[in-house]
């Protein structure tokens, strides 16, 4: 071990925290495209460059107004269509990954820990294998955030579960 590695190892503390995860799966008789269209029609897009304009100019009122306008009920922070690539690879599936959140609600996570960024915004995957029902999968937020003891006092994970599951059930219906 060289002296640089020893110095880094001495200054780093790594822990591993086990937690119980719960997967929430909502199944739909609608097609993949009907479900993704319902989600995308209902949720505004959160544009990071627009947010950064307010940050660059130190415009807190602008940030507050923008965040508020994109937080009803949630916004799409990012999406990635994976199905076309999987089909080229010979896997018969449609799949789209979303990062969905509400920046106003998320404050109730970040006030406890910056590590909230691991789960906020929330990961959502909509998929449909050929011949099967469409499904929407996400982590149960109460379970996901249980790995952070410092977030235990936050009511946000339960609130996210209630609001998100209801929203995605409606998109699937």
């Amino acid at each position: 071990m060289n002296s640089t590695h020893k110095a880094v190892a001495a200054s780093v503390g790594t822990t591993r925290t086990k937690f119980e995860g719960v997967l929430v799966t909502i199944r739909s008789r609608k097609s993949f495209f009907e479900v993704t269209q319902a989600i995308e029609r209902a949720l505004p897009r959160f544009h990071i460059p627009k947010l950064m304009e307010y940050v660059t100019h130190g415009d807190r009122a602008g940030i507050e107004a923008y965040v508020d306008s994109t937080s009803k009920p949630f916004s799409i922070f990012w999406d990635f269509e994976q199905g076309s690539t999987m089909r080229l690879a010979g896997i018969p599936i449609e799949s789209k990954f979303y990062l969905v959140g509400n920046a106003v609600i998320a404050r109730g996570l970040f006030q406890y820990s910056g590590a909230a960024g691991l789960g906020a915004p929330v990961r959502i995957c909509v998929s449909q294998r050929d011949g099967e029902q469409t499904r929407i999968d996400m982590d149960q937020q109460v379970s996901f955030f249980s790995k952070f003891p410092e977030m235990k006092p936050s009511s946000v994970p339960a609130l996210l579960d209630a609001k998100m599951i209801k929203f995605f059930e409606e998109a699937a219906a």
Side-chain angles (χ1 to χ4, degrees):
M1 195 185 298
N2 64 36
S3 62
T4 305
H5 187 268
K6 285 180 189 173
V8 170
S11 67
V12 174
T14 303
T15 61
R16 287 173 173 72
T17 305
K18 289 188 175 197
F19 73 101
E20 183 82 19
V22 176
L23 176 67
V24 175
T25 301
I26 300 164
R27 298 190 191 280
S28 177
R29 295 194 194 289
K30 287 183 177 177
S31 73
F32 168 83
F33 297 105
E34 290 171 318
V35 172
T36 55
Q37 285 175 355
I39 292 167
E40 293 174 21
R41 273 194 312 269
L43 299 181
R45 299 268 173 181
F46 192 96
H47 296 284
I48 301 300
K50 184 169 185 147
L51 177 71
M52 293 315 296
E53 281 181 42
Y54 296 118
V55 171
T56 301
H57 294 100
D59 182 356
R60 183 172 178 164
I63 290 171
E64 295 290 336
Y66 181 65
V67 165
D68 189 54
S69 74
T70 59
S71 296
K72 294 177 180 96
F74 301 102
S75 56
I76 297 171
F77 285 77
W78 188 76
D79 64 34
F80 180 62
E81 193 280 319
Q82 301 163 303
S84 56
T85 306
M86 293 302 111
R87 285 191 175 280
L88 284 173
I91 301 169
I93 194 166
E94 297 297 340
S95 181
K96 193 163 190 178
F97 171 83
Y98 296 93
L99 289 177
V100 174
N102 178 312
V104 174
I105 292 174
R107 292 175 186 167
L109 294 168
F110 282 93
Q111 74 184 39
Y112 296 99
S113 175
L118 276 174
V122 175
R123 298 172 302 164
I124 308 290
C125 183
V126 180
S127 64
Q128 182 178 28
R129 293 186 69 81
D130 286 2
E132 296 180 7
Q133 286 185 320
T134 300
R135 59 188 282 166
I136 302 170
D137 291 288
M138 68 187 93
D139 289 315
Q140 180 189 48
Q141 299 308 295
V142 168
S143 298
F144 182 87
F145 284 107
S146 72
K147 68 181 100 177
F148 303 104
E150 64 272 24
M151 285 191 217
K152 190 172 183 153
S154 178
S155 61
V156 170
L159 177 66
L160 286 172
D161 281 337
K163 287 181 175 271
M164 286 197 148
I165 291 169
K166 181 178 187 287
F167 171 81
F168 288 103
E169 285 174 341
E170 288 172 359

